[in-house]
Amino acid sequence: MKLNIRIDGHAGQGPNALAKVLGSVLAKQGYYVFISRDYGSYIRGGHNANVLTLSDSQIMSNDLEADIAIFLEKNIEIKEPRKLKDNCRIIDSAVEKNMYFAGRLVKMLGLDFRILENELKKLKNFDVNLRDAKKGYADAKTEFALRSLKNKLEFMDGGVGIAEGAIASGLDVYFAYPMTPATSVMGELAERQLENNHIVIELEGEIAAINAAIGSAITGAKAMTGSSGGGFDLMTEALSFIGQAEVPLVIYLAQRVGPGTGAATYTEQADLNLALNAGHGEFPRIVLAPGDPLECQELTSQAFYFSQKYRVPALILSDKHLAESLYTIKNKPVITKSQKCISLKRFNSYNHDESGTAADNAPAIAKSAESRIKKAEEIKKEARKFKPFKLYGKSGSKNLVLFWGSTKGAVLDACKDIDVKALQILYMEPFPEEIKSELLKAKNLLIVENNSTSQLAQLIASKTCIHINKENKILKYNGRPFLTDELRMEIEKRIR
Amino acid sequence: MPDISTNAKPTWCPGCFNFQILAGVKNALSRKISTHNAKKEDFALVSGIGCHAKIFDYINLNGVNTLHGRVLPTCLGIKVGNPNLEVIGFSGDGDAYAEGMEHLIHAARYNADIKYIVHNNQVFALTVGQPTPTTELGYKDKTNPLGVKLMPINPIKMMLNAGASFVARVFADAKQVEWVLEEALEHKGFAFIEVIQPCIIFHPDIGVKEKTYMLQENRHFKENLGDALKKAEEFDYNTINKIPLGIFYQKERETFEEKWPQLKSLIGRKASWKDIKR
Ligand SMILES: Cc1ncc(C[n+]2csc(CCOP(=O)(O)OP(=O)(O)O)c2C)c(N)n1
């Protein structure tokens, strides 16, 4: 059983709040929910779409066509390529407010009104919302009888997952400058700073943010910063400085459409090469790419662990689709605990000796380089203890689909019940070269990426000398995430 | 007094005025350690990139020699990481007024308890003599053979307008530096100290020192912003007429770290984030 529900309206009419409330109600009833948001870069007005997919089994992506459409105003035009089914039920009104529709949908799906009421209590304007919801409930007929399921599910987006992971890892300070889609982590951490006793500070720019984070990190605090595209670009000199000075820092990089200012509110996986190569000189780093909010929590804790233990920068690579989509999660995250390994001493951005004093003689320069190489090897060895890659699907299949990051939801949903095995890479650096044997076992390699040059394929080629055929690269680079059925067709065309 | 020297041999030019600044800073800090019963571990020094920045190698205290232009955000981060540290930053005029300008303006506004010393030699010395934002009109070097065409900025005026709670200028003379740093260490908040430092190779003293006079010997009322601004106008960094030195302005107000309950509580408990076990 699966339903796709569109919720469209103007930014400012509250379509996001409506979608989130409905998602929470469904999650409370034990249904798996996935909500993606499609919106432009404006504050009021403009079209804003949420697509909510619900199912009685695990799902983490939307389909192309909607079964139900909620329009917060009349005459909504659906942006291609998504469509309405021929028999799509349309609920619209030119006068009613967002929570009216929540009441209607709850009744239509045959859900318990009290659960909705409880969710409304968590929002502002409870009285008005409740009145609207009651009216909607009264106006509707039950058309689907969704009985409640036993699943106990968490409901969160990737941004909250990163913030949860950071808090669980003992975050002390977060410095940042706002930039979509990285800001949601800053916002979540900021809201919880007093309750959890950490601190979130907005500074005059990304260069200030990362350098301040370095300042805090050398005093022994667990420090983190985050940005997207151009903001991260501004941080790269400091990233290299960290490589020289050996400072533990966690950096959140939320990808959006580039190059340049690109498209601020749309998704892309085009900064893998950037994350791997940003900063001058040669130094070890960690680059982790979670694919859902559970992995966001787990990998964030691993980022803290590695950065503290080895005094290296650890990057967490997410994107707009992961950061801002809402997922239901069944399992509890496995959090890797980490110590605070640094005490204030003498640090240096120059090549330096043990006392932290600048040193440019030949042996001192060679010694530093060798110690960085050794460190990279130790990190690589220890990374194998975690899960640097994961396998899914039919274990004996000759068709292997490779992916990373936020395409996880669509890939796993699309691959259900077809003859493929899927391999997700979570550690982009240190790269799990041991996947080579899996790649050699497969007869047919496919890759799925939200970019135009297949950066994961480039990485795999450089690490394993295995190349993926051009026609087997399923690439989407229009700022939109993959949809389940669309991707399934693309994969089916290519399996043997 | 405790010895806070390192084993590193200074690589400044013989006779460089940075030696004067180093001596003044070391005296002030050693005195603070011996008489105020501070510990070496209570200090964090941050320097930028340039000739000035080598001072980090010659003082044996904790801290970081950071990137060019990034002294102030690094200082702020250290202060947030451990608000009980005495944080002192060192920049050149290139570091402070060119590459690091965006941070300087905001540091004055934030008013974190940071002492900031700008070694102003009116050139990029380490990169061999190019003009900075405080170099006078007409100055020529290999990269600017047509001569500087833009008026220099007036950092004292700028800092006063930006809200710095302590604004001072001294000459690169060990005694003056020691005096002003001791005053600044007593000040709670952002202390901006500019040291006029001739560069004996690229920008020698062309009669600057002679034209200086001490504000504090001339009945200057340092709590008055209007008076401070008037005094700041006396030297525009281009023509040498009268050069007032001393503390132009000083007025304490709530510091950055006092505004956050999390940091206030660390101050109260004499703790840092490192001490917080989660
Ligand atoms: C980002 C960056 N740009 C340029 C440089 C090259 N550089 C090194 S020192 C310096 C200027 C230093 O001038 P100043 O800060 O006035 O210090 P001084 O050498 O005069 O003491 C420059 C531009 C650098 N190290 N980093």
Side-chain angles (χ1 to χ4, degrees):
Chain A
M1 176 261 155
K2 192 162 154 189
L3 283 175
N4 284 278
I5 304 171
R6 285 190 67 101
I7 297 163
D8 291 72
H10 277 163
Q13 284 180 323
N16 297 343
L18 170 58
K20 197 168 175 185
V21 160
L22 289 170
S24 303
V25 169
L26 287 158
K28 288 264 148 53
Q29 291 282 50
Y31 282 85
Y32 292 90
V33 179
F34 176 78
I35 303 177
S36 70
R37 289 174 61 196
D38 184 308
Y39 63 102
S41 203
Y42 32 65
I43 308 304
R44 288 284 181 273
H47 190 148
N48 193 327
N50 282 260
V51 182
L52 184 160
T53 302
L54 72 101
S55 172
D56 51 7
S57 63
Q58 173 74 294
I59 43 104
M60 294 196 290
S61 60
N62 300 136
D63 291 300
L64 189 60
E65 298 181 336
D67 302 281
I68 299 172
I70 296 176
F71 293 156
L72 296 183
E73 63 197 325
K74 296 271 180 192
N75 304 324
I76 291 243
E77 218 180 295
I78 302 293
K79 283 191 230 161
E80 286 302 314
R82 301 207 193 196
K83 293 195 227 108
L84 303 182
K85 274 192 183 153
D86 292 340
N87 61 351
C88 176
R89 291 170 176 76
I90 295 175
I91 308 173
D92 63 357
S93 163
V95 288
E96 300 295 350
K97 294 277 183 310
N98 59 352
M99 292 309 160
Y100 165 86
F101 298 93
R104 273 189 75 162
L105 197 80
V106 161
K107 175 80 159 286
M108 192 171 173
L109 298 177
L111 300 167
D112 188 343
F113 187 82
R114 281 169 303 179
I115 302 175
L116 174 59
E117 190 171 335
N118 277 336
E119 289 304 315
L120 293 179
K121 279 185 190 144
K122 298 175 191 165
L123 304 179
K124 283 185 224 147
N125 304 328
F126 174 67
D127 295 337
V128 177
N129 284 337
L130 183 68
R131 190 197 62 210
D132 291 348
K134 277 186 172 156
K135 180 161 184 240
Y137 195 80
D139 283 355
K141 282 201 303 280
T142 297
E143 297 177 42
F144 302 83
L146 298 190
R147 61 199 168 78
S148 75
L149 305 175
K150 292 233 162 57
N151 303 315
K152 288 247 169 310
L153 302 170
E154 286 283 333
F155 185 53
M156 69 170 76
D157 62 35
V160 171
I162 301 281
E164 287 279 354
I167 288 173
S169 311
L171 173 82
D172 295 312
V173 299
Y174 191 89
F175 288 99
Y177 184 83
M179 187 162 184
T180 306
T183 317
S184 67
V185 168
M186 182 186 182
E188 180 70 15
L189 288 171
E191 275 184 357
R192 294 167 64 178
Q193 59 185 318
L194 292 183
E195 147 213 327
N196 183 58
N197 189 29
H198 59 257
I199 191 165
V200 177
I201 297 177
E202 178 187 308
L203 290 181
E204 63 269 20
E206 291 84 357
I207 296 177
I210 189 166
N211 283 286
I214 292 167
S216 290
I218 64 173
T219 69
K222 280 194 180 168
M224 181 170 172
T225 184
S227 191
S228 177
F232 176 80
D233 289 347
L234 289 174
M235 295 183 173
T236 55
E237 186 196 18
L239 179 70
S240 167
F241 163 33
I242 295 170
Q244 174 64 256
E246 303 186 277
V247 176
L249 188 67
V250 175
I251 304 164
Y252 173 52
L253 169 52
Q255 302 163 98
R256 68 187 218 185
V257 173
T261 306
T265 57
Y266 286 95
T267 203
E268 194 167 73
Q269 293 182 301
D271 298 339
L272 173 58
N273 287 340
L274 174 69
L276 293 172
N277 298 301
H280 55 287
E282 299 168 312
F283 57 94
R285 73 183 78 198
I286 312 284
V287 180
L288 307 179
D292 60 38
L294 182 78
E295 290 172 355
C296 284
Q297 295 174 70
E298 297 182 340
L299 293 192
T300 299
S301 75
Q302 292 164 29
F304 275 97
Y305 174 81
F306 278 105
S307 70
Q308 284 290 331
K309 180 161 178 188
Y310 295 97
R311 292 177 287 135
V312 290
L315 278 68
I316 305 165
L317 200 50
S318 108
D319 58 27
K320 186 271 167 192
H321 185 57
L322 173 59
E324 296 187 1
S325 299
L326 285 150
Y327 300 69
T328 40
I329 317 171
K330 191 160 187 180
N331 298 325
K332 288 250 165 311
V334 179
I335 297 296
T336 305
K337 291 278 171 211
S338 50
Q339 308 288 316
K340 289 179 185 175
C341 298
I342 289 285
S343 295
L344 187 60
K345 53 167 189 132
R346 291 169 58 79
F347 293 83
N348 209 319
S349 72
Y350 278 110
N351 189 73
H352 50 275
D353 61 21
E354 285 86 18
S355 70
T357 299
D360 57 8
N361 60 73
I365 293 175
K367 196 174 163 196
S368 308
E370 281 154 14
S371 92
R372 287 191 290 270
I373 290 172
K374 187 160 163 259
K375 192 190 272 194
E377 281 162 5
E378 286 167 14
I379 293 170
K380 193 166 182 178
K381 219 164 119 198
E382 184 161 11
R384 295 208 186 98
K385 289 197 240 153
F386 292 85
K387 277 191 197 139
F389 69 96
K390 293 181 183 173
L391 285 166
Y392 307 88
K394 281 217 167 69
S395 60
S397 177
K398 295 277 179 270
N399 300 300
L400 183 65
V401 178
L402 299 155
F403 69 94
W404 65 285
S406 74
T407 53
K408 177 178 181 178
V411 170
L412 296 194
D413 291 349
C415 290
K416 256 178 216 163
D417 314 319
I418 56 177
D419 179 24
V420 292
K421 186 162 148 182
L423 191 159
Q424 175 192 12
I425 299 177
L426 296 96
Y427 277 55
M428 316 313 289
E429 175 65 33
F431 187 83
E433 277 153 30
E434 58 273 28
I435 64 160
K436 188 167 182 176
S437 61
E438 282 298 331
L439 306 200
L440 290 172
K441 266 195 270 173
K443 286 258 149 54
N444 187 26
L445 293 177
L446 282 69
I447 197 159
V448 177
E449 293 189 72
N450 249 158
N451 60 42
S452 66
T453 59
S454 200
Q455 298 188 13
L456 178 61
Q458 296 167 32
L459 180 61
I460 290 173
S462 80
K463 298 286 182 179
T464 66
C465 298
I466 295 175
H467 295 265
I468 293 155
N469 291 336
K470 191 163 180 249
E471 50 294 354
N472 271 0
K473 289 178 181 165
I474 304 172
L475 306 175
K476 189 168 180 178
Y477 41 85
N478 60 359
R480 273 62 179 173
F482 283 101
L483 303 169
T484 323
D485 36 8
E486 164 203 65
L487 181 59
R488 191 185 181 95
M489 261 164 44
E490 292 297 331
I491 292 174
E492 278 178 329
K493 265 195 256 173
R494 292 169 173 86
I495 60 178
R496 286 192 242 140
Chain B
M1 294 217 293
D3 184 16
I4 52 169
S5 311
T6 61
N7 295 328
K9 218 173 122 236
T11 56
W12 288 316
C13 305
C16 175
F17 280 86
N18 272 313
F19 285 105
Q20 292 287 325
I21 301 177
L22 173 65
V25 169
K26 272 166 71 174
N27 282 343
L29 297 186
S30 322
R31 173 143 335 97
K32 173 121 187 176
I33 292 169
S34 62
T35 59
H36 290 64
N37 149 35
K39 296 192 299 291
K40 283 191 188 178
E41 293 70 35
D42 296 340
F43 294 87
L45 308 186
V46 180
S47 73
I49 301 294
C51 291
H52 67 274
K54 297 182 179 195
I55 198 167
F56 178 77
D57 283 351
Y58 312 139
I59 305 179
N60 194 10
L61 293 173
N62 290 334
V64 55
N65 189 341
T66 182
L67 295 168
H68 186 44
R70 313 304 166 201
V71 170
L72 286 169
T74 312
C75 286
L76 183 72
I78 292 176
K79 198 76 196 172
V80 169
N82 183 354
N84 297 298
L85 289 171
E86 184 73 73
V87 182
I88 306 167
F90 301 90
S91 280
D93 46 319
D95 206 87
Y97 309 142
E99 196 80 290
M101 180 60 104
E102 63 173 309
H103 310 305
L104 180 56
I105 290 281
H106 290 279
R109 179 169 75 102
Y110 297 157
N111 196 39
D113 187 14
I114 291 166
K115 318 298 173 240
Y116 187 46
I117 300 175
V118 180
H119 307 211
N120 188 353
N121 54 12
Q122 296 186 272
V123 278
F124 293 127
L126 193 60
T127 48
V128 300
Q130 302 81 4
T132 72
T134 47
T135 307
E136 71 282 1
L137 292 175
Y139 174 93
K140 283 186 185 158
D141 83 309
K142 192 156 188 209
T143 61
N144 292 268
L146 307 183
V148 169
K149 299 194 179 305
L150 301 169
M151 265 301 279
I153 57 163
N154 182 337
I156 300 291
K157 225 169 105 182
M158 188 183 73
M159 283 291 92
L160 290 168
N161 282 317
S165 59
F166 181 106
V167 178
R169 180 168 62 205
V170 295
F171 190 79
D173 163 277
K175 282 260 157 346
Q176 288 192 28
V177 172
E178 180 181 342
W179 166 76
V180 79
L181 182 54
E182 286 190 337
E183 294 287 323
L185 288 169
E186 292 306 307
H187 175 79
K188 206 171 63 152
F190 180 65
F192 173 82
I193 300 165
E194 187 185 68
V195 182
I196 295 197
Q197 173 211 11
C199 170
I200 56 172
I201 305 295
F202 300 113
H203 201 282
D205 185 358
I206 38 167
V208 172
K209 192 169 184 191
E210 293 173 9
K211 301 284 182 177
T212 62
Y213 72 95
M214 294 304 288
L215 289 167
Q216 267 65 43
E217 289 162 11
N218 283 271
R219 276 176 285 134
H220 174 66
F221 182 57
K222 65 184 181 183
E223 289 206 1
N224 186 313
L225 186 60
D227 285 358
L229 280 164
K230 253 188 238 132
K231 288 291 171 191
E233 300 265 0
E234 286 182 9
F235 177 44
D236 65 3
Y237 292 76
N238 187 48
T239 30
I240 301 165
N241 198 353
K242 279 194 289 182
I243 304 179
L245 299 177
I247 303 168
F248 286 77
Y249 181 71
Q250 181 178 8
K251 198 173 196 175
E252 288 190 353
R253 64 168 194 269
E254 201 181 20
T255 62
F256 184 89
E257 51 277 16
E258 285 166 342
K259 289 176 196 282
W260 265 268
Q262 302 97 306
L263 299 180
K264 231 178 149 168
S265 129
L266 291 177
I267 296 170
R269 289 148 50 206
K270 295 226 169 305
S272 71
W273 293 105
K274 165 108 185 174
D275 303 318
I276 294 190
K277 304 276 176 280
R278 296 174 188 272

